[in-house]
Amino acid sequence: MTSRAPLNRRALLRGAALAALAIPVAATASACDTGYDDSPDPLLPLLEQAEADAAAASALAGSDPGVAELARQVATARTTQADALRTEVDRLNKPRPEQSTPPSRSVADVAALARRLADARERAAGLVPGLPAYRAGLVGSVAAGCAAVQQLAPELGAGQPGEVERPSTGSLPAEAVDALQQALAAEHAAVWVYGLVSAFLPADFEKGLGAGAAAHRDRRDACERVLTGAGADPRPPEPAYPPPEPVTDEASATRLVVTAETDAASAWHGVLERTDDAALRRLATQALIGSATRCTSWRMEAGEQPAAVALPGRT
């Protein structure tokens, strides 16, 4: 059996130094195994599409005088959305794919632009249920903004969405219940507003008033169902909702409807930011899109600019 030479002081110090160096290396290796997620940012395709749509709409405005004003409105809204998305993508600063095909930055006509808006709307709405709460509000607003822009003209795909889903979420955290109660209050107010303004608007508004009131009753009922299922007592409506200015004629009545739709959009955007429940987020996105499209129609009637809000619920 061979004997080992005794360790001298220099050998002991060298061994201690090597051991100290090994600790950060091991910690770094562990962090690489369980830490930073370097997968592509799911918001990046939305950003690239918004940038491309803005460029395509601007090019169309310059090449076709007949649709120039409409195309410029699309370009302005998509630029605003791109700026908001870029801020969030840059904040997270995730690695970008090395190989990707950028979206085309041109369209042949308004019909092609309409298809791109519809695609952007559906893509954004589809992402909302799985995003972190602070991103769900932004992306839901982008989806609603695309719908709002479509409402500018039949050629862009104008149309009102149908009834919302009736999810059964079960129990919800307190902040989600509070946000949903605020959305319910906004829906109660909107139903009341549509009833009030009917006395000040001419007969040719009857169809729009009826559809708007029915949509808000639908969303009100959905709120009450979810709150009841979560074990909360839905807040009842107020006897009246004093308007910010007296309603005396068609102009003031139209402005009040714009306010009601804007308030409803803000409330549903708040729901998106305060729940992780996928079914409730789908409901909130549908309601937000509905208010955004109706708001565009009423803003056009009121002569407000821009007629289509790029990020409903946020601005």
Side-chain angles (χ1 to χ4, degrees):
M1 177 172 153
T2 58
S3 61
R4 292 184 179 181
L7 290 174
N8 57 29
R9 186 171 183 273
R10 177 175 295 178
L12 284 170
L13 291 174
R14 183 167 61 245
L18 290 174
L21 287 172
I23 292 173
V25 173
T28 302
S30 176
C32 290
D33 291 340
T34 62
Y36 180 68
D37 177 11
D38 62 355
S39 61
D41 193 325
L43 268 59
L44 182 60
L46 298 184
L47 167 59
E48 293 174 340
Q49 189 65 61
E51 292 174 333
D53 288 352
S58 293
L60 183 62
S63 63
D64 188 344
V67 298
E69 179 55 31
L70 184 61
R72 277 193 288 268
Q73 291 183 70
V74 175
T76 298
R78 291 297 272 156
T79 297
T80 299
Q81 293 170 358
D83 290 344
L85 289 166
R86 188 181 306 107
T87 297
E88 176 58 20
V89 168
D90 290 347
R91 183 191 69 80
L92 205 58
N93 195 30
K94 300 190 77 171
R96 300 203 175 200
E98 294 182 2
Q99 295 181 343
S100 62
T101 303
S104 171
R105 300 174 75 85
S106 64
V107 290
D109 50 28
V110 172
L113 191 58
R115 288 191 293 272
R116 289 173 69 139
L117 285 171
D119 177 68
R121 166 183 171 175
E122 293 302 318
R123 179 180 292 186
L127 282 177
V128 170
L131 291 172
Y134 61 92
R135 289 185 143 200
L138 169 61
V139 175
S141 186
V142 169
C146 290
V149 171
Q150 287 183 278
Q151 196 67 15
L152 289 169
E155 304 93 310
L156 289 176
Q160 293 293 330
E163 294 183 351
V164 296
E165 295 180 11
R166 297 285 195 276
S168 297
T169 62
S171 62
L172 293 168
E175 65 173 356
V177 170
D178 182 62
L180 200 53
Q181 294 279 24
Q182 293 180 43
L184 175 57
E187 294 300 338
H188 282 317
V191 171
W192 186 88
V193 163
Y194 271 86
L196 172 68
V197 301
S198 63
F200 298 90
L201 295 173
D204 55 353
F205 281 86
E206 184 177 348
K207 183 178 179 180
L209 288 171
H216 286 291
R217 287 193 296 269
D218 173 61
R219 282 122 181 97
R220 176 201 64 193
D221 295 347
C223 277
E224 292 176 340
R225 176 189 174 107
V226 174
L227 285 166
T228 300
D233 293 327
R235 292 176 185 167
E238 300 291 336
Y241 296 86
E245 63 171 322
V247 179
T248 57
D249 55 15
E250 181 178 329
S252 56
T254 303
R255 289 194 297 271
L256 182 58
V257 181
V258 170
T259 298
E261 294 294 358
T262 301
D263 289 348
S266 179
W268 284 110
H269 178 271
V271 174
L272 286 176
E273 291 191 321
R274 290 168 179 82
T275 183
D276 293 325
D277 187 274
L280 181 52
R281 283 192 183 175
R282 284 192 293 271
L283 165 61
T285 302
Q286 292 164 2
L288 176 55
I289 287 172
S291 278
T293 55
R294 286 187 298 277
C295 199
T296 295
S297 298
W298 288 103
R299 287 175 69 89
M300 288 193 291
E301 291 290 346
E304 296 191 15
Q305 293 296 330
V309 176
L311 294 168
R314 296 174 72 88
T315 54

